[in-house]
Amino acid sequence: MVALACAVVGVGAVSGAVAALGDKGGGTARPAPSPSPAVATLPAVPAPASVAPPPPRATPRAARPSTAPRPPATPSPARGAISAPLYRSPDSQVLDWVRAHPGDPRRPLIERRIADRPTAVWFTAYDPDAITREVRAVTSAAAAQGRVAVLVPYAIPGRDCGGASQGGAPDLAAYDRWMGNFAAGLGRSPVIVVLEPDAIAQSDCLTAGERTARFASLARAGRALHAADPRARVYFDAGHSGWRDAGEMAGLLRAAGAATSGDGIFTNVSNFHATADEAAYARRVLTALGGPARLGAVIDTSRNGRGAPPDGQWCDPAGRGLGRAPTTRTGEARIDAYLWVKLPGESDGCRGTAGSFAPDYAYDLAR
């Protein structure tokens, strides 16, 4: 049976927790609730070269040389484990629903098991003039509480290989500038960055030259984030345990600079694979990747409490449940955190419009 991979889709509706869109006026940007990317199915084995994938909306091009100062080639070796509690954004669809439905019988369970948990904040809009302000609004709020924000930049050109979440920056030179502005909003406090879900694992739709250019841009992004905030932890896309072989995935990650420009890898974003399977897979990838012993992994546990559906169903599959609560204290070797990157209850497109909050789905996950 062909294993199924994940892709983040439905960003036009929402993102794996909250997409920070911000206002265009002055003052502090307040991230607006936005739908979560859903999960799509892709073959785990790359398609033959003769099969043309759907064209991305924005075709990645080699980035022009940047005039910005070049950050250090490698992240600081002094960064230690993040032990502070994770940040819960006050802006999310589930919180909006909880506030608007005080008498709903589903509310107490959804509030206690989902709305009260810290989740990632996604940044999906290509708006280089606003992104610094939007990121700073989140990181400064987290720092004021002594907590660690989880940020998901999601604007790589040609994202989602032309699928439902297609789009992003117009080209890699523009993306580099956007990422520089993103990094400028980090501050100097600990922060976790889940860098571009699917950008590495789902790169078969690119030509060899486009893939090389994308990977070089991701490496630059990792260096820029570390240069702006030496306490940032940056994780690169490793797909999930039902997708690529660990050795193959490690080769792609190495080409993208994960071992030299990052702090490790992330797995299972918007997917359902069991935590034990993901932890074992992540350790195999890290072993094959090589690099400093400090490299670790973070796992999306938002919907994997009952594992992946046996039939490969990806669209709001029945019988799934919440996974382990978000934490940076996993007790697992080389597993730095369990995170809720995809916000549970935001639909893949079957229990509601893709990216919208579906209370029945959330309630089923929480039971």
Side-chain angles (χ1 to χ4, degrees), residues 86 96 184 247 359 367:
L86 296 168
D96 286 346
R367 286 193 296 180

Side-chain angles (χ1 to χ4, degrees), residues 8 12 24 73 92 121 138 155 164 190 194 196 213 283 305 323 337 342 352:
V8 180
K24 298 295 189 295
S92 68
V121 181
V138 177
V194 176
E196 296 292 343
R283 284 191 280 264
K342 166 79 174 184

